[in-house]
Amino acid sequence: MSVPAARRGTTTVSDKAVRRIAERAAREALPGRPVTASRVSAAVHGRRADVALGVSLPYPLPVAETAREVRRHVSERTRELTGLDVSLRRISVDTLTGPSGTTAADGMPPLPTPSVSTPSSPARSASTSSASAPRSEGADRRAPRRRWSRRRVPTTAVLLMGTVSFGAVALDMIRVRITHRPAAAWRTGTLDWLTGHGPGDTQVVLAGGGLALLGLWLTVLAVTPGRRRLLTLAAPGTCLDAAADRSAVAASVRCAVADVPGIGPVDVRVRRRRVVVRAGLAFGDRDTAHDEVAAATRRVLGGWRPRHAPRVRIMVRTEPLWQPPRPEAEGPPPAPVTPAHTPGEEDEG
């Protein structure tokens, strides 16, 4: 006996279940490599589930390719277990950890917060095989020039101030219309104060200046990116929008320069269009050390693949105990002089 479709029940997958499945799928994404899901959020809308994921990836691995593999596995595995159309809207790589889970490489602490975001595809795949198919070059997204902040705190503050101010006035007007009572004392007092003070009054001038500064501040926030600590990276052949924290790039350059023979203290500053490296030379030739430091810096920056190749400025200074290398003698060293031996003479001793 078959049950009519109208009387059949519905299967609902909760947000919590999708979140747990996505978290477990992230751990299974790289067999033999530790992947930790630190922040997972999921929202189910009918037959569609939107998932956002924050992970910690093993070091050293290519961040863009690894994040893309994690995104693919989590989407397919969650879709397989839940039966929903899963859209993994964002993957945020929070840290890079070494094999032990506590270090990045060679005893160094985890690299600070490189961020790699993978936006969802405009057109969802209908099957697993089509979801894993490589994208063509025409479907690639161009990396943004700058990373723009959402300005949550200023936006929330302005919205809260506007909501409280205009909401109080609207509620008082509704109360006056419905109950036929006089307006609130704070509203009538404000109107009386405004009618008694002109534009030349000190309090009015100060209040106008404060509002003008507030408007200028909001304008600056609206036209500036805000996330200046992030360096945009290039990810050709993928649909990733990749960015790395500048302190992480500076740490990797500092480690590479410190391995140059003779180099002591190293200071690295990574800016949007320029990288400045200051190194102290303890021993060795200054010109040779300068060339090796420049080569190490360019090699590391080439591995990060920034969207715009920054200008590199190298400054190598000698330490107080540094001494110039001794010039090498030309030609072979002289042979040791041995005393002539006369036949018939006996050696003494």
Side-chain angles (χ1 to χ4, degrees), residues 99-344:
S100 62
T102 56
T103 59
D106 299 333
M108 293 173 55
L111 297 180
T113 319
S115 174
V116 177
S117 304
T118 60
S120 60
S121 174
R124 298 189 181 93
S125 302
S127 62
T128 302
S129 59
S130 62
S132 59
R135 293 181 176 271
S136 62
E137 292 296 333
D140 296 341
R141 292 172 56 91
R142 187 177 181 182
R145 297 182 59 184
R146 300 290 297 275
R147 314 298 296 190
W148 287 79
S149 174
R150 297 183 180 182
R151 307 291 190 185
R152 291 188 177 94
V153 174
T155 303
T156 303
V158 173
L159 289 178
L160 185 61
M161 292 173 56
T163 301
V164 172
S165 303
F166 294 107
V169 174
L171 289 177
D172 187 64
M173 295 178 64
I174 294 173
R175 184 184 65 84
V176 171
R177 292 287 184 179
I178 295 177
T179 62
H180 302 287
R181 293 182 180 180
W186 62 268
R187 190 153 66 97
T188 57
T190 302
L191 293 176
D192 293 340
W193 187 88
L194 291 176
T195 55
H197 295 76
D201 200 6
T202 304
Q203 297 178 349
V204 176
V205 172
L206 294 178
L211 292 177
L213 292 177
L214 177 62
L216 180 61
W217 176 61
L218 294 177
T219 303
V220 172
L221 293 180
V223 300
T224 54
R227 305 185 69 179
R228 300 181 59 88
R229 293 184 301 174
L230 295 182
L231 182 66
T232 303
L233 306 180
T238 67
C239 60
L240 299 179
D241 290 342
D245 196 291
R246 295 184 185 179
S247 59
V249 180
S252 59
V253 173
R254 189 182 303 111
C255 293
V257 173
D259 292 337
V260 175
I263 294 298
V266 181
D267 179 62
V268 181
R269 301 292 178 88
V270 178
R271 306 187 183 277
R272 188 166 64 96
R273 294 295 183 89
R274 185 175 60 179
V275 175
V276 180
V277 179
R278 296 181 176 89
L281 183 62
F283 61 88
D285 183 67
R286 183 173 181 178
D287 295 335
T288 303
H290 185 280
D291 296 339
E292 293 181 358
V293 168
T297 302
R298 292 188 173 89
R299 183 174 62 252
V300 173
L301 294 178
W304 281 100
R305 304 183 69 174
R307 186 178 184 271
H308 294 287
R311 297 188 301 271
V312 179
R313 183 181 180 185
I314 307 296
M315 291 180 288
V316 178
R317 67 179 185 278
T318 57
E319 294 295 312
L321 298 179
W322 176 83
Q323 294 181 358
R326 297 178 180 179
E328 298 180 357
E330 297 181 357
V337 179
T338 58
H341 182 73
T342 305

Side-chain angles (χ1 to χ4, degrees), residues 18-20 22-24 26-27 35-42 51-56 70 74 88 90-95 113-117 150 152 227:
V18 176
R19 184 169 63 251
R20 292 289 181 85
E23 181 178 359
R24 184 61 181 269
R27 298 176 182 175
V35 177
T36 305
S38 56
R39 295 179 292 107
V40 184
S41 62
V51 180
L53 192 64
V55 296
S56 176
V70 173
V74 172
L88 190 54
R90 182 179 180 85
I91 290 183
S92 176
V93 181
D94 298 329
T95 56
T113 319
S115 174
V116 177
S117 304
R150 297 183 180 182
R152 291 188 177 94
R227 305 185 69 179

Side-chain angles (χ1 to χ4, degrees), residues 22-84:
E23 181 178 359
R24 184 61 181 269
R27 298 176 182 175
E28 302 171 351
L30 302 177
R33 295 279 190 169
V35 177
T36 305
S38 56
R39 295 179 292 107
V40 184
S41 62
V44 179
H45 308 283
R47 302 295 303 172
R48 179 172 59 88
D50 297 332
V51 180
L53 192 64
V55 296
S56 176
L57 296 182
Y59 178 90
L61 280 180
V63 179
E65 289 78 1
T66 306
R68 185 170 68 252
E69 176 62 23
V70 173
R71 178 180 184 272
R72 183 195 63 79
H73 181 81
V74 172
S75 299
E76 294 179 0
R77 187 63 173 167
T78 308
R79 184 186 302 112
E80 176 185 358
L81 296 180
T82 61
L84 301 176

